[in-house]
Short mmCIF file of all heavy atoms in Angstrom, two decimals:
data_model
loop_
_atom_site.label_atom_id
_atom_site.label_comp_id
_atom_site.label_asym_id
_atom_site.label_seq_id
_atom_site.Cartn_x
_atom_site.Cartn_y
_atom_site.Cartn_z
N MET G 1 106.32 127.23 85.62
CA MET G 1 107.09 127.30 84.40
C MET G 1 106.27 127.96 83.29
O MET G 1 106.80 128.75 82.52
CB MET G 1 107.52 125.88 84.01
CG MET G 1 108.31 125.81 82.76
SD MET G 1 109.92 126.55 83.02
CE MET G 1 110.75 126.05 81.56
N GLU G 2 105.01 127.62 83.26
CA GLU G 2 104.14 128.19 82.23
C GLU G 2 103.99 129.70 82.40
O GLU G 2 103.96 130.44 81.42
CB GLU G 2 102.76 127.53 82.28
CG GLU G 2 101.85 127.94 81.15
CD GLU G 2 100.54 127.19 81.19
OE1 GLU G 2 100.53 126.02 81.58
OE2 GLU G 2 99.52 127.79 80.83
N ALA G 3 103.96 130.15 83.65
CA ALA G 3 103.87 131.60 83.91
C ALA G 3 105.11 132.33 83.41
O ALA G 3 105.02 133.42 82.85
CB ALA G 3 103.68 131.85 85.40
N LEU G 4 106.27 131.71 83.58
CA LEU G 4 107.50 132.32 83.08
C LEU G 4 107.49 132.40 81.57
O LEU G 4 107.83 133.42 80.99
CB LEU G 4 108.72 131.53 83.55
CG LEU G 4 110.06 132.02 83.00
CD1 LEU G 4 110.38 133.40 83.59
CD2 LEU G 4 111.16 131.05 83.29
N LEU G 5 107.08 131.33 80.91
CA LEU G 5 107.05 131.34 79.45
C LEU G 5 106.03 132.33 78.91
O LEU G 5 106.27 132.97 77.88
CB LEU G 5 106.76 129.93 78.93
CG LEU G 5 107.87 128.91 79.17
CD1 LEU G 5 107.45 127.53 78.69
CD2 LEU G 5 109.16 129.33 78.51
N GLN G 6 104.92 132.51 79.60
CA GLN G 6 103.95 133.50 79.17
C GLN G 6 104.50 134.91 79.35
O GLN G 6 104.27 135.78 78.53
CB GLN G 6 102.66 133.35 79.96
CG GLN G 6 101.84 132.17 79.55
CD GLN G 6 100.59 132.02 80.41
OE1 GLN G 6 100.43 132.69 81.42
NE2 GLN G 6 99.70 131.12 80.01
N ALA G 7 105.23 135.13 80.42
CA ALA G 7 105.79 136.46 80.68
C ALA G 7 106.91 136.78 79.70
O ALA G 7 107.08 137.92 79.29
CB ALA G 7 106.30 136.54 82.12
N LEU G 8 107.68 135.77 79.35
CA LEU G 8 108.83 135.99 78.48
C LEU G 8 108.47 136.09 77.01
O LEU G 8 108.84 137.05 76.34
CB LEU G 8 109.82 134.84 78.64
CG LEU G 8 110.73 134.87 79.83
CD1 LEU G 8 111.56 133.61 79.85
CD2 LEU G 8 111.62 136.07 79.79
N GLY G 9 107.84 135.08 76.51
CA GLY G 9 107.63 134.99 75.09
C GLY G 9 108.90 134.52 74.40
O GLY G 9 109.92 134.25 75.04
N THR G 10 108.87 134.42 73.13
CA THR G 10 110.01 133.91 72.37
C THR G 10 111.20 134.86 72.42
O THR G 10 112.34 134.44 72.62
CB THR G 10 109.60 133.67 70.91
OG1 THR G 10 108.47 132.80 70.87
CG2 THR G 10 110.73 133.05 70.12
N ILE G 11 110.95 136.14 72.25
CA ILE G 11 112.03 137.13 72.26
C ILE G 11 112.72 137.16 73.62
O ILE G 11 113.95 137.23 73.71
CB ILE G 11 111.50 138.53 71.89
CG1 ILE G 11 110.88 138.49 70.50
CG2 ILE G 11 112.59 139.57 71.98
CD1 ILE G 11 111.84 138.12 69.39
N GLY G 12 111.95 137.10 74.68
CA GLY G 12 112.51 137.10 76.02
C GLY G 12 113.39 135.88 76.28
O GLY G 12 114.45 135.98 76.89
N LEU G 13 112.96 134.73 75.79
CA LEU G 13 113.75 133.52 75.93
C LEU G 13 115.07 133.63 75.17
O LEU G 13 116.12 133.23 75.66
CB LEU G 13 112.95 132.30 75.45
CG LEU G 13 113.54 130.94 75.74
CD1 LEU G 13 113.74 130.75 77.22
CD2 LEU G 13 112.65 129.85 75.18
N ILE G 14 115.02 134.23 74.00
CA ILE G 14 116.25 134.47 73.23
C ILE G 14 117.17 135.42 74.00
O ILE G 14 118.38 135.21 74.05
CB ILE G 14 115.92 135.01 71.83
CG1 ILE G 14 115.25 133.91 71.01
CG2 ILE G 14 117.16 135.52 71.13
CD1 ILE G 14 114.67 134.37 69.70
N PHE G 15 116.60 136.45 74.62
CA PHE G 15 117.40 137.37 75.44
C PHE G 15 118.08 136.63 76.59
O PHE G 15 119.24 136.90 76.89
CB PHE G 15 116.55 138.50 76.00
CG PHE G 15 116.29 139.62 75.04
CD1 PHE G 15 115.08 140.28 75.05
CD2 PHE G 15 117.24 140.02 74.12
CE1 PHE G 15 114.82 141.32 74.17
CE2 PHE G 15 117.01 141.06 73.24
CZ PHE G 15 115.80 141.70 73.26
N LEU G 16 117.37 135.71 77.23
CA LEU G 16 117.97 134.94 78.33
C LEU G 16 119.14 134.11 77.83
O LEU G 16 120.18 134.04 78.49
CB LEU G 16 116.93 134.03 78.98
CG LEU G 16 115.81 134.68 79.76
CD1 LEU G 16 114.91 133.62 80.37
CD2 LEU G 16 116.32 135.62 80.81
N LEU G 17 118.98 133.50 76.68
CA LEU G 17 120.06 132.70 76.11
C LEU G 17 121.27 133.56 75.78
O LEU G 17 122.42 133.18 76.03
CB LEU G 17 119.57 131.95 74.87
CG LEU G 17 118.50 130.89 75.10
CD1 LEU G 17 118.00 130.33 73.78
CD2 LEU G 17 119.01 129.79 76.00
N VAL G 18 121.01 134.75 75.24
CA VAL G 18 122.10 135.66 74.90
C VAL G 18 122.81 136.16 76.16
O VAL G 18 124.05 136.21 76.21
CB VAL G 18 121.57 136.85 74.05
CG1 VAL G 18 122.61 137.94 73.92
CG2 VAL G 18 121.13 136.36 72.68
N VAL G 19 122.05 136.50 77.18
CA VAL G 19 122.65 136.96 78.44
C VAL G 19 123.53 135.86 79.04
O VAL G 19 124.66 136.12 79.47
CB VAL G 19 121.56 137.39 79.45
CG1 VAL G 19 122.11 137.53 80.85
CG2 VAL G 19 120.92 138.68 79.01
N GLY G 20 123.04 134.64 79.04
CA GLY G 20 123.84 133.52 79.57
C GLY G 20 125.09 133.27 78.75
O GLY G 20 126.17 133.02 79.30
N ALA G 21 124.96 133.34 77.42
CA ALA G 21 126.12 133.13 76.55
C ALA G 21 127.16 134.22 76.75
O ALA G 21 128.37 133.95 76.81
CB ALA G 21 125.67 133.06 75.10
N LEU G 22 126.71 135.46 76.85
CA LEU G 22 127.64 136.57 77.08
C LEU G 22 128.34 136.45 78.43
O LEU G 22 129.54 136.70 78.55
CB LEU G 22 126.93 137.91 76.96
CG LEU G 22 126.55 138.33 75.55
CD1 LEU G 22 125.74 139.62 75.58
CD2 LEU G 22 127.78 138.50 74.68
N ALA G 23 127.59 136.07 79.45
CA ALA G 23 128.20 135.88 80.77
C ALA G 23 129.25 134.77 80.72
O ALA G 23 130.32 134.87 81.31
CB ALA G 23 127.14 135.56 81.81
N GLY G 24 128.95 133.71 79.98
CA GLY G 24 129.91 132.61 79.84
C GLY G 24 131.14 133.03 79.07
O GLY G 24 132.26 132.64 79.42
N LEU G 25 130.97 133.82 78.01
CA LEU G 25 132.12 134.29 77.24
C LEU G 25 133.01 135.20 78.07
O LEU G 25 134.24 135.10 78.03
CB LEU G 25 131.65 135.02 75.99
CG LEU G 25 131.18 134.14 74.83
CD1 LEU G 25 130.62 135.00 73.72
CD2 LEU G 25 132.30 133.27 74.33
N ILE G 26 132.39 136.09 78.83
CA ILE G 26 133.17 136.97 79.70
C ILE G 26 133.91 136.17 80.76
O ILE G 26 135.07 136.43 81.05
CB ILE G 26 132.26 138.05 80.32
CG1 ILE G 26 131.77 139.01 79.23
CG2 ILE G 26 132.99 138.82 81.42
CD1 ILE G 26 130.69 139.95 79.67
N ALA G 27 133.25 135.16 81.32
CA ALA G 27 133.91 134.32 82.32
C ALA G 27 135.08 133.56 81.72
O ALA G 27 136.13 133.40 82.36
CB ALA G 27 132.92 133.34 82.93
N SER G 28 134.94 133.10 80.48
CA SER G 28 136.06 132.39 79.85
C SER G 28 137.22 133.34 79.57
O SER G 28 138.38 132.94 79.67
CB SER G 28 135.61 131.69 78.57
OG SER G 28 135.40 132.61 77.53
N LEU G 29 136.92 134.58 79.22
CA LEU G 29 137.99 135.56 79.01
C LEU G 29 138.72 135.87 80.32
O LEU G 29 139.93 136.04 80.33
CB LEU G 29 137.42 136.84 78.40
CG LEU G 29 136.92 136.72 76.96
CD1 LEU G 29 136.27 138.02 76.51
CD2 LEU G 29 138.04 136.34 76.03
N VAL G 30 137.97 135.95 81.40
CA VAL G 30 138.58 136.20 82.71
C VAL G 30 139.48 135.01 83.09
O VAL G 30 140.53 135.19 83.70
CB VAL G 30 137.49 136.44 83.78
CG1 VAL G 30 138.07 136.41 85.19
CG2 VAL G 30 136.78 137.75 83.52
N ASP G 31 139.06 133.83 82.69
CA ASP G 31 139.82 132.62 83.00
C ASP G 31 140.99 132.40 82.04
O ASP G 31 141.71 131.44 82.16
CB ASP G 31 138.89 131.41 82.98
CG ASP G 31 139.51 130.17 83.57
OD1 ASP G 31 140.29 130.31 84.53
OD2 ASP G 31 139.23 129.07 83.07
N GLY G 32 141.16 133.26 81.09
CA GLY G 32 142.28 133.14 80.17
C GLY G 32 141.88 132.63 78.79
O GLY G 32 142.74 132.28 78.00
N GLY G 33 140.61 132.56 78.51
CA GLY G 33 140.15 132.16 77.18
C GLY G 33 140.03 130.66 76.98
O GLY G 33 139.78 130.20 75.87
N ARG G 34 140.18 129.90 78.04
CA ARG G 34 140.07 128.44 77.93
C ARG G 34 138.64 128.01 78.18
O ARG G 34 137.88 128.66 78.87
CB ARG G 34 140.98 127.78 78.95
CG ARG G 34 142.44 128.12 78.76
CD ARG G 34 143.27 127.41 79.81
NE ARG G 34 142.68 127.59 81.13
CZ ARG G 34 143.32 128.11 82.16
NH1 ARG G 34 144.55 128.53 82.03
NH2 ARG G 34 142.73 128.22 83.33
N HIS G 35 138.26 126.89 77.60
CA HIS G 35 136.98 126.23 77.84
C HIS G 35 135.78 127.13 77.55
O HIS G 35 134.83 127.21 78.34
CB HIS G 35 136.88 125.71 79.28
CG HIS G 35 138.06 124.90 79.71
ND1 HIS G 35 138.35 123.67 79.16
CD2 HIS G 35 139.04 125.14 80.62
CE1 HIS G 35 139.44 123.19 79.72
NE2 HIS G 35 139.89 124.07 80.60
N LYS G 36 135.80 127.82 76.43
CA LYS G 36 134.71 128.75 76.10
C LYS G 36 133.36 128.04 76.03
O LYS G 36 132.37 128.54 76.56
CB LYS G 36 134.99 129.45 74.77
CG LYS G 36 136.02 130.51 74.86
CD LYS G 36 136.20 131.21 73.54
CE LYS G 36 137.34 132.20 73.67
NZ LYS G 36 137.64 132.88 72.43
N GLY G 37 133.33 126.90 75.39
CA GLY G 37 132.07 126.17 75.26
C GLY G 37 131.47 125.77 76.58
O GLY G 37 130.26 125.88 76.80
N ARG G 38 132.33 125.32 77.49
CA ARG G 38 131.85 124.92 78.81
C ARG G 38 131.29 126.11 79.57
O ARG G 38 130.22 126.04 80.18
CB ARG G 38 132.98 124.28 79.60
CG ARG G 38 132.53 123.80 80.97
CD ARG G 38 133.62 123.07 81.69
NE ARG G 38 134.62 124.05 82.11
CZ ARG G 38 135.76 123.72 82.69
NH1 ARG G 38 136.06 122.45 82.88
NH2 ARG G 38 136.60 124.65 83.09
N TYR G 39 132.00 127.23 79.53
CA TYR G 39 131.53 128.42 80.23
C TYR G 39 130.24 128.97 79.64
O TYR G 39 129.34 129.41 80.37
CB TYR G 39 132.60 129.51 80.24
CG TYR G 39 133.66 129.30 81.28
CD1 TYR G 39 134.97 129.04 80.91
CD2 TYR G 39 133.37 129.37 82.63
CE1 TYR G 39 135.95 128.86 81.87
CE2 TYR G 39 134.33 129.18 83.59
CZ TYR G 39 135.63 128.92 83.20
OH TYR G 39 136.59 128.74 84.16
N VAL G 40 130.12 128.93 78.33
CA VAL G 40 128.89 129.40 77.69
C VAL G 40 127.72 128.51 78.09
O VAL G 40 126.63 129.00 78.43
CB VAL G 40 129.04 129.46 76.15
CG1 VAL G 40 127.71 129.66 75.47
CG2 VAL G 40 130.02 130.56 75.77
N ALA G 41 127.93 127.20 78.08
CA ALA G 41 126.86 126.27 78.47
C ALA G 41 126.45 126.48 79.93
O ALA G 41 125.25 126.51 80.25
CB ALA G 41 127.31 124.83 78.26
N ILE G 42 127.42 126.66 80.81
CA ILE G 42 127.12 126.90 82.22
C ILE G 42 126.39 128.23 82.40
O ILE G 42 125.45 128.33 83.18
CB ILE G 42 128.41 126.84 83.07
CG1 ILE G 42 128.96 125.42 83.09
CG2 ILE G 42 128.16 127.34 84.48
CD1 ILE G 42 130.34 125.30 83.70
N GLY G 43 126.81 129.24 81.67
CA GLY G 43 126.15 130.54 81.74
C GLY G 43 124.70 130.47 81.28
O GLY G 43 123.81 131.07 81.89
N VAL G 44 124.45 129.73 80.22
CA VAL G 44 123.08 129.59 79.71
C VAL G 44 122.22 128.84 80.72
O VAL G 44 121.07 129.22 80.96
CB VAL G 44 123.08 128.89 78.33
CG1 VAL G 44 121.69 128.46 77.92
CG2 VAL G 44 123.69 129.81 77.28
N VAL G 45 122.76 127.80 81.31
CA VAL G 45 122.01 127.05 82.33
C VAL G 45 121.64 127.96 83.50
O VAL G 45 120.50 127.97 83.97
CB VAL G 45 122.80 125.82 82.81
CG1 VAL G 45 122.20 125.21 84.07
CG2 VAL G 45 122.88 124.78 81.72
N GLY G 46 122.60 128.73 83.96
CA GLY G 46 122.32 129.65 85.07
C GLY G 46 121.33 130.73 84.69
O GLY G 46 120.47 131.12 85.49
N ALA G 47 121.44 131.22 83.46
CA ALA G 47 120.54 132.27 83.00
C ALA G 47 119.11 131.78 82.88
O ALA G 47 118.17 132.56 83.00
CB ALA G 47 121.02 132.82 81.66
N LEU G 48 118.93 130.51 82.64
CA LEU G 48 117.58 129.95 82.57
C LEU G 48 117.09 129.44 83.92
O LEU G 48 115.89 129.46 84.20
CB LEU G 48 117.54 128.81 81.54
CG LEU G 48 117.78 129.21 80.10
CD1 LEU G 48 117.84 127.97 79.21
CD2 LEU G 48 116.70 130.16 79.60
N ALA G 49 118.01 129.00 84.77
CA ALA G 49 117.61 128.36 86.03
C ALA G 49 117.05 129.33 87.06
O ALA G 49 116.02 129.06 87.67
CB ALA G 49 118.80 127.62 86.62
N LEU G 50 117.71 130.45 87.27
CA LEU G 50 117.25 131.37 88.32
C LEU G 50 115.88 131.98 88.01
O LEU G 50 115.03 132.02 88.90
CB LEU G 50 118.28 132.44 88.62
CG LEU G 50 117.96 133.29 89.85
CD1 LEU G 50 117.88 132.44 91.10
CD2 LEU G 50 118.98 134.39 90.03
N PRO G 51 115.61 132.45 86.80
CA PRO G 51 114.25 132.95 86.54
C PRO G 51 113.18 131.88 86.74
O PRO G 51 112.09 132.17 87.23
CB PRO G 51 114.31 133.41 85.08
CG PRO G 51 115.72 133.77 84.86
CD PRO G 51 116.50 132.76 85.67
N VAL G 52 113.49 130.64 86.39
CA VAL G 52 112.52 129.55 86.61
C VAL G 52 112.31 129.34 88.10
O VAL G 52 111.18 129.17 88.57
CB VAL G 52 113.00 128.25 85.92
CG1 VAL G 52 112.17 127.07 86.35
CG2 VAL G 52 112.94 128.41 84.41
N LEU G 53 113.40 129.38 88.88
CA LEU G 53 113.29 129.20 90.33
C LEU G 53 112.51 130.34 90.97
O LEU G 53 111.64 130.11 91.81
CB LEU G 53 114.69 129.11 90.94
CG LEU G 53 114.76 128.89 92.44
CD1 LEU G 53 114.17 127.53 92.80
CD2 LEU G 53 116.19 128.98 92.91
N VAL G 54 112.79 131.56 90.57
CA VAL G 54 112.06 132.71 91.12
C VAL G 54 110.59 132.63 90.75
O VAL G 54 109.72 132.94 91.56
CB VAL G 54 112.70 134.04 90.64
CG1 VAL G 54 111.82 135.23 90.98
CG2 VAL G 54 114.07 134.22 91.25
N THR G 55 110.30 132.21 89.53
CA THR G 55 108.90 132.08 89.10
C THR G 55 108.19 131.00 89.91
O THR G 55 107.03 131.16 90.26
CB THR G 55 108.84 131.74 87.61
OG1 THR G 55 109.47 132.79 86.88
CG2 THR G 55 107.41 131.62 87.14
N ALA G 56 108.90 129.92 90.22
CA ALA G 56 108.28 128.85 91.01
C ALA G 56 108.00 129.31 92.44
O ALA G 56 107.00 128.92 93.03
CB ALA G 56 109.19 127.63 91.03
N LEU G 57 108.87 130.15 92.98
CA LEU G 57 108.68 130.61 94.36
C LEU G 57 107.70 131.77 94.47
O LEU G 57 106.94 131.86 95.42
CB LEU G 57 110.03 131.00 94.97
CG LEU G 57 111.03 129.85 95.11
CD1 LEU G 57 112.37 130.38 95.61
CD2 LEU G 57 110.49 128.78 96.02
N ALA G 58 107.76 132.70 93.54
CA ALA G 58 106.89 133.87 93.56
C ALA G 58 106.36 134.09 92.14
O ALA G 58 106.98 134.76 91.34
CB ALA G 58 107.65 135.09 94.03
N THR G 59 105.23 133.51 91.86
CA THR G 59 104.73 133.41 90.50
C THR G 59 104.64 134.74 89.78
O THR G 59 105.07 134.86 88.64
CB THR G 59 103.33 132.75 90.50
OG1 THR G 59 103.44 131.49 91.14
CG2 THR G 59 102.82 132.56 89.11
N GLY G 60 104.15 135.78 90.39
CA GLY G 60 103.93 137.03 89.67
C GLY G 60 105.07 138.03 89.78
O GLY G 60 105.01 139.10 89.18
N ALA G 61 106.11 137.71 90.53
CA ALA G 61 107.17 138.69 90.79
C ALA G 61 107.90 139.10 89.52
O ALA G 61 108.10 140.29 89.27
CB ALA G 61 108.16 138.14 91.80
N LEU G 62 108.30 138.15 88.70
CA LEU G 62 109.03 138.49 87.48
C LEU G 62 108.12 139.11 86.43
O LEU G 62 108.54 140.01 85.71
CB LEU G 62 109.72 137.26 86.91
CG LEU G 62 110.95 136.77 87.67
CD1 LEU G 62 111.53 135.55 87.00
CD2 LEU G 62 111.99 137.84 87.79
N ALA G 63 106.91 138.66 86.35
CA ALA G 63 105.98 139.21 85.37
C ALA G 63 105.68 140.67 85.68
O ALA G 63 105.55 141.50 84.77
CB ALA G 63 104.70 138.39 85.32
N ALA G 64 105.60 140.99 86.96
CA ALA G 64 105.31 142.37 87.34
C ALA G 64 106.50 143.29 87.07
O ALA G 64 106.33 144.47 86.79
CB ALA G 64 104.94 142.43 88.83
N GLY G 65 107.70 142.76 87.15
CA GLY G 65 108.89 143.57 86.94
C GLY G 65 109.23 143.81 85.48
O GLY G 65 110.02 144.68 85.17
N GLY G 66 108.67 143.03 84.60
CA GLY G 66 108.91 143.21 83.18
C GLY G 66 110.18 142.52 82.72
O GLY G 66 110.86 141.81 83.46
N LEU G 67 110.51 142.74 81.47
CA LEU G 67 111.64 142.08 80.84
C LEU G 67 112.97 142.49 81.47
O LEU G 67 113.89 141.69 81.59
CB LEU G 67 111.65 142.37 79.33
CG LEU G 67 112.68 141.62 78.51
CD1 LEU G 67 112.51 140.12 78.66
CD2 LEU G 67 112.59 142.02 77.06
N ALA G 68 113.07 143.74 81.91
CA ALA G 68 114.32 144.20 82.52
C ALA G 68 114.64 143.40 83.79
O ALA G 68 115.79 142.98 83.99
CB ALA G 68 114.24 145.69 82.84
N LEU G 69 113.65 143.17 84.63
CA LEU G 69 113.87 142.39 85.85
C LEU G 69 114.20 140.94 85.51
O LEU G 69 115.05 140.33 86.16
CB LEU G 69 112.65 142.46 86.76
CG LEU G 69 112.77 141.70 88.08
CD1 LEU G 69 113.91 142.27 88.91
CD2 LEU G 69 111.48 141.77 88.86
N ILE G 70 113.58 140.40 84.50
CA ILE G 70 113.87 139.03 84.10
C ILE G 70 115.31 138.92 83.61
O ILE G 70 116.02 137.98 83.93
CB ILE G 70 112.86 138.57 83.02
CG1 ILE G 70 111.46 138.46 83.64
CG2 ILE G 70 113.28 137.23 82.43
CD1 ILE G 70 110.36 138.22 82.64
N LEU G 71 115.76 139.91 82.84
CA LEU G 71 117.14 139.88 82.34
C LEU G 71 118.15 140.04 83.47
O LEU G 71 119.19 139.38 83.48
CB LEU G 71 117.34 140.95 81.28
CG LEU G 71 116.62 140.71 79.96
CD1 LEU G 71 116.81 141.90 79.02
CD2 LEU G 71 117.09 139.43 79.31
N VAL G 72 117.86 140.90 84.44
CA VAL G 72 118.75 141.06 85.59
C VAL G 72 118.81 139.77 86.39
O VAL G 72 119.89 139.32 86.80
CB VAL G 72 118.30 142.26 86.46
CG1 VAL G 72 119.03 142.27 87.79
CG2 VAL G 72 118.52 143.55 85.73
N THR G 73 117.67 139.14 86.60
CA THR G 73 117.63 137.87 87.32
C THR G 73 118.41 136.81 86.56
O THR G 73 119.13 136.01 87.14
CB THR G 73 116.17 137.41 87.51
OG1 THR G 73 115.44 138.45 88.15
CG2 THR G 73 116.09 136.15 88.33
N SER G 74 118.29 136.83 85.26
CA SER G 74 119.03 135.90 84.42
C SER G 74 120.53 136.10 84.54
O SER G 74 121.30 135.14 84.66
CB SER G 74 118.58 136.08 82.97
OG SER G 74 119.39 135.37 82.10
N LEU G 75 120.96 137.33 84.53
CA LEU G 75 122.39 137.64 84.67
C LEU G 75 122.91 137.21 86.03
O LEU G 75 123.99 136.62 86.13
CB LEU G 75 122.63 139.14 84.45
CG LEU G 75 124.07 139.59 84.50
CD1 LEU G 75 124.90 138.91 83.42
CD2 LEU G 75 124.16 141.09 84.36
N VAL G 76 122.16 137.47 87.07
CA VAL G 76 122.57 137.05 88.42
C VAL G 76 122.67 135.53 88.49
O VAL G 76 123.61 134.97 89.06
CB VAL G 76 121.59 137.60 89.48
CG1 VAL G 76 121.82 136.98 90.84
CG2 VAL G 76 121.69 139.11 89.55
N GLY G 77 121.70 134.84 87.89
CA GLY G 77 121.74 133.38 87.88
C GLY G 77 122.94 132.84 87.13
O GLY G 77 123.59 131.89 87.58
N ALA G 78 123.24 133.44 85.99
CA ALA G 78 124.39 132.99 85.20
C ALA G 78 125.68 133.20 85.97
O ALA G 78 126.55 132.31 86.01
CB ALA G 78 124.44 133.73 83.87
N ILE G 79 125.83 134.35 86.59
CA ILE G 79 127.04 134.64 87.36
C ILE G 79 127.16 133.69 88.55
O ILE G 79 128.24 133.17 88.83
CB ILE G 79 127.05 136.12 87.81
CG1 ILE G 79 127.23 137.03 86.59
CG2 ILE G 79 128.15 136.36 88.84
CD1 ILE G 79 127.02 138.49 86.87
N ALA G 80 126.06 133.45 89.23
CA ALA G 80 126.09 132.56 90.40
C ALA G 80 126.51 131.15 90.01
O ALA G 80 127.36 130.53 90.67
CB ALA G 80 124.73 132.55 91.09
N VAL G 81 125.94 130.63 88.93
CA VAL G 81 126.28 129.27 88.52
C VAL G 81 127.72 129.21 88.01
O VAL G 81 128.43 128.24 88.27
CB VAL G 81 125.28 128.77 87.45
CG1 VAL G 81 125.72 127.45 86.86
CG2 VAL G 81 123.90 128.62 88.07
N LEU G 82 128.18 130.25 87.33
CA LEU G 82 129.57 130.27 86.88
C LEU G 82 130.55 130.30 88.05
O LEU G 82 131.59 129.65 88.02
CB LEU G 82 129.81 131.47 85.95
CG LEU G 82 129.23 131.32 84.55
CD1 LEU G 82 129.20 132.67 83.84
CD2 LEU G 82 130.04 130.32 83.75
N VAL G 83 130.21 131.07 89.08
CA VAL G 83 131.08 131.12 90.28
C VAL G 83 131.10 129.76 90.96
O VAL G 83 132.17 129.27 91.37
CB VAL G 83 130.61 132.24 91.24
CG1 VAL G 83 131.27 132.11 92.59
CG2 VAL G 83 130.88 133.60 90.64
N ILE G 84 129.95 129.14 91.08
CA ILE G 84 129.89 127.81 91.70
C ILE G 84 130.68 126.80 90.90
O ILE G 84 131.41 125.97 91.44
CB ILE G 84 128.41 127.36 91.88
CG1 ILE G 84 127.74 128.23 92.95
CG2 ILE G 84 128.34 125.89 92.25
CD1 ILE G 84 126.24 128.06 93.01
N ALA G 85 130.56 126.86 89.57
CA ALA G 85 131.29 125.92 88.71
C ALA G 85 132.80 126.16 88.80
O ALA G 85 133.59 125.23 88.70
CB ALA G 85 130.83 126.06 87.27
N ARG G 86 133.19 127.39 88.99
CA ARG G 86 134.61 127.74 89.08
C ARG G 86 135.24 127.17 90.34
O ARG G 86 136.41 126.84 90.38
CB ARG G 86 134.78 129.26 89.04
CG ARG G 86 136.16 129.73 89.12
CD ARG G 86 136.90 129.50 87.81
NE ARG G 86 138.23 130.04 87.95
CZ ARG G 86 139.32 129.42 87.58
NH1 ARG G 86 139.23 128.25 87.00
NH2 ARG G 86 140.48 129.97 87.75
N LEU G 87 134.44 127.06 91.42
CA LEU G 87 134.96 126.52 92.68
C LEU G 87 135.23 125.05 92.49
O LEU G 87 136.08 124.44 92.98
CB LEU G 87 133.94 126.72 93.80
CG LEU G 87 133.64 128.17 94.17
CD1 LEU G 87 132.56 128.22 95.22
CD2 LEU G 87 134.89 128.89 94.66
#
């Protein structure tokens, strides 16, 4: 976890939160605009969870890829958790 926070910094963490919130807003729009808060919260959780999981499994992988790879991983995590929550 510490390696992820060192790689991200404060701005990177804000980017992850924004990516998760945007993914949640888009998912709520696809669902008809209902439950925006729930979708945003789920998106943020997914956006934070997958980068932490990847960092735990392969410590230097995200740091080597830079902020762009971290943001892509965050988006994939948010989408995955939103799809799971939708089921």
